[in-house]
Amino acid sequence: MWPYPKVLAHRGGGTLAPENTMAGFRTGLQHGYRAVEFDVMLTRDEVPILMHDPRRGRTLPGEGLIAETDWAVLRELDAGAWLDASFAGERLCTLEQGLDFCLEHGIWMNVEIKPAAAAHARRTGELAAQAVARRFAGVSLQASLPVLSSFSFEALMAAKETAPDLPRGFLVDVIPDDWEARLAQLQAVALHTSHKNLTPALAGQVKAAGYGLFCYTVNDPARAAEIRGWGVDAFCTDRIDLIPADAW
């Protein structure tokens, strides 16, 4: 049900490095992590970049929406100083750059498609899936392929239509009543959900239906052990300093 790595570094390097950056990937590697989760969003000129927030202000200086800003502007911004002065000068990276780095270093990926707004859902799913499919053309081993996930059902459907051979995980905060029908429509391999809203009964239902079960974002080793006992297959963590990459 889940042939992929079981413990992933959230947004590259968790809380130890600027999220969704090369510095994050390098920090994850330093802690033994060869499996990551990261977010993909489109710029105004439709460049898929690694970005979580739809607007500047938290991880990028200044103001403005990512979807209304060209890559030529965004790539010049400091994406590291917000976390620590030691990361000053760190830049955003494109999805292409992120894929290249991960492939070079043998890092498995959970690619979260993160539309900046509902109007961008389909296009974000298409372009993210295209980029990943290009890099993995000819790869048939399921465990080697990245999993595409998203809170946006529309984005994942677009990804399915664009690159049907790439595995998909439907991402939800609270598991809805129609979760099984949604997974079937997406031809998904897994349900991704918050560990905070999961129960042993719900976990059992997902596993009994034959799907992988992935949780975000688990930062306590005791909690990780607890949900594993419920049948959870994998999780991502911000605390790559507390939870070893081979914890499971």
Side-chain angles (χ1 to χ4, degrees):
M1 294 182 190
W2 186 268
Y4 316 106
K6 299 182 183 302
V7 188
L8 283 60
H10 188 223
R11 301 181 192 170
T15 54
L16 302 188
E19 62 188 52
N20 290 316
T21 65
M22 295 294 184
F25 295 146
R26 290 192 294 268
T27 300
L29 281 174
Q30 291 168 4
H31 285 77
Y33 274 76
R34 292 187 180 273
V36 298
E37 179 270 357
F38 57 75
D39 306 289
V40 178
M41 188 174 290
L42 296 184
T43 64
R44 179 167 61 181
D45 47 344
E46 293 196 332
V47 176
I49 64 170
L50 304 197
M51 187 69 192
H52 178 273
D53 294 11
R55 62 173 61 247
R56 292 159 62 180
R58 183 176 68 90
T59 64
L60 291 177
E63 299 178 351
L65 298 173
I66 301 302
E68 295 178 359
T69 310
D70 288 340
W71 170 237
V73 174
L74 293 169
R75 69 184 178 189
E76 300 300 323
L77 300 177
D78 190 323
W82 67 274
L83 183 65
D84 189 86
S86 64
F87 291 110
E90 185 69 25
R91 297 293 188 252
L92 294 176
C93 62
T94 65
L95 173 57
E96 299 276 0
Q97 292 168 335
L99 291 171
D100 286 345
F101 184 93
C102 290
L103 282 168
E104 179 183 353
H105 294 279
I107 300 172
W108 182 82
M109 294 162 276
N110 180 141
V111 180
E112 182 182 336
I113 302 168
K114 198 90 175 174
H120 304 285
R122 183 166 187 82
R123 190 63 173 154
T124 308
E126 290 172 349
L127 293 183
Q130 284 176 11
V132 175
R134 278 196 301 269
R135 285 297 190 277
F136 286 84
V139 175
S140 57
L141 184 62
Q142 184 79 359
S144 298
L145 295 173
V147 167
L148 305 181
S149 66
S150 186
F151 284 102
S152 169
F153 186 82
E154 184 180 0
L156 267 188
M157 284 298 292
K160 170 181 174 287
E161 294 161 9
T162 302
D165 292 336
L166 293 177
R168 291 166 296 283
F170 186 39
L171 186 52
V172 296
D173 180 33
V174 177
I175 298 176
D177 292 339
D178 64 346
W179 65 267
E180 194 166 1
R182 293 259 184 153
L183 290 176
Q185 192 173 351
L186 289 165
Q187 295 180 328
V189 300
L191 181 69
H192 296 206
T193 191
S194 171
H195 74 96
K196 296 178 181 179
N197 299 316
L198 189 64
T199 65
L202 282 170
Q205 291 172 26
V206 175
K207 298 306 299 175
Y211 292 102
L213 181 57
F214 178 91
C215 281
Y216 69 89
T217 303
V218 183
N219 295 327
D220 177 59
R223 178 60 170 170
E226 181 180 25
I227 62 173
R228 183 184 187 185
W230 297 354
V232 171
D233 295 295
F235 66 93
C236 63
T237 182
D238 282 323
R239 296 305 305 269
I240 62 176
D241 53 332
L242 291 181
I243 299 178
D246 59 355
W248 285 10

